Structure formats: C-alpha cells, structure tokens
Amino acid sequence: LAFDVYCHRIRKYVGAYHATLGRLDAVVFTAGIGENSAAVRSASLAGLDGWGIAVDPDRNNGKGMRVISPPDARVAVCVVPTDEEHAIAEAVTTFLA
C-alpha cells in the first residue's frame, strides 16, 4: 500500500506541474529512490502515455545518468545521480569563507 501511495503522489505532482506549466519538457528522477528504483520510476509514470510521458523498460534498468524514455517520447524522462554530501560540504565551505 505504501508503494502505491508513494507512486500515486509522484504521478499527482507530475500532473499538477503539467497543469501549472502548460507543458513538460522533462521529468527527472534523482536522489536515493528516484536514482535507484526502476519500479518506482515505472509505476509513478504509468498511465501518462497520453501526455507523451513513457518509460522504456530496457532503459529504466541500469546505473548512472541516462534518459529512460523511448527515443520518440514527447517528454524526456531522465535519471540524474546526486551527491548530496558534496553539495552540503560545498555550501558549508562557502558559508564559512
């Protein structure tokens, strides 16, 4: 149930941003779950094909920065790894300097 609710909320936010912006160029998954869970990425965007949002199952598996949408999709779906610890250390260094 938690998995379904989590993915539903992501889908709801994608829809809300689409309505607010009027269009979407990309959906980007990042950080812990977004970067490492093919199941979450796939389930979160299921049923959004009508908006040009789709996940290619073969591209969805793997590691590193990549586009996981089909080549002909109107909206790019991407996975972008993050390095939160480095970003925090950089911000602290800047603050202390």
Side-chain angles (χ1 to χ4, degrees):
L1 177 62
F3 177 86
D4 292 340
V5 169
Y6 183 74
C7 294
H8 173 79
R9 287 184 177 174
I10 293 171
R11 193 169 33 259
K12 182 172 69 170
Y13 279 111
V14 170
Y17 278 110
H18 186 273
T20 300
L21 297 171
R23 73 173 207 187
L24 293 177
D25 296 318
V27 174
V28 180
F29 287 94
T30 190
I33 295 173
E35 192 177 326
N36 297 303
S37 179
V40 166
R41 293 189 298 266
S42 180
S44 296
L45 301 180
L48 300 180
D49 302 56
W51 289 355
I53 302 170
V55 174
D56 181 303
D58 293 328
R59 291 177 168 208
N60 194 21
N61 293 314
K63 297 276 184 200
M65 187 180 311
R66 65 200 182 281
V67 175
I68 61 170
S69 51
D72 60 344
R74 284 193 321 252
V75 177
V77 180
C78 307
V79 176
V80 178
T82 58
D83 186 352
E84 294 96 342
E85 292 85 2
H86 179 76
I88 292 168
E90 206 171 67
V92 169
T93 301
T94 301
F95 178 74
L96 294 176

